[in-house]
Amino acid sequence: MSETLLLLLVEDDAGISEMLEDALADEGVETVIAGSAATALAALGTDASRFKCVITDVHLGPGPSGWDVARRARELEPEMPVIYMSGHRAAEWAVNGVPGSILLEKPFVPAQLITAIATLLNKGHV
């Protein structure tokens, strides 16, 4: 990816978020890591427009879910690209996912995430 992008990465597993952050950094992508939905919602509430994409795990423990994070992102920025990550909730995507989003089933390789980001951004969601 040629220009520096700032993405919001919402993942409650520190090992996964660190691995994805490293992979994204290798592509010149900057990330703000949120370890919970509450942290992600606060980051979006501060200035959602600074993010070019939201990448969120679906299941984030007690409290709001990744579905909730994505819906809030779209309320604030209606064209916000959204990528969901899930190990066991893929069947719920059709019902709970925001339109035009992508779901990556865990486990996936970082290249799949990079491809998903490029796909959404190339659709004009910048």
Side-chain angles (χ1 to χ4, degrees):
M1 296 184 189
S2 57
E3 68 180 65
T4 301
L5 300 171
L6 181 63
L7 310 181
L8 177 60
L9 176 62
V10 189
E11 173 58 66
D12 59 346
D13 182 313
I16 293 173
S17 62
E18 184 177 310
M19 185 240 340
L20 295 176
E21 181 181 30
D22 289 346
L24 291 167
D26 288 346
E27 296 293 323
V29 177
E30 295 180 23
T31 54
V32 170
I33 305 293
S36 70
T39 303
L41 293 169
L44 289 167
T46 299
D47 181 10
S49 67
R50 67 187 169 138
F51 300 113
K52 298 299 181 191
C53 182
V54 171
I55 304 160
T56 183
D57 189 11
V58 170
H59 181 68
L60 297 167
S65 68
W67 307 124
D68 298 318
V69 171
R71 282 191 288 272
R72 182 64 181 146
R74 285 283 180 87
E75 287 172 4
L76 296 168
E77 293 291 325
E79 297 298 316
M80 179 72 73
V82 172
I83 299 169
Y84 296 103
M85 304 176 291
S86 178
H88 59 279
R89 300 241 171 134
E92 298 175 23
W93 179 42
V95 175
N96 294 307
V98 296
S101 61
I102 292 175
L103 181 124
L104 296 175
E105 291 189 69
K106 293 178 182 176
F108 59 87
V109 295
Q112 290 173 279
L113 178 59
I114 301 301
T115 299
I117 294 166
T119 298
L120 290 176
L121 295 182
N122 288 335
K123 287 184 178 179
H125 295 284
V126 180

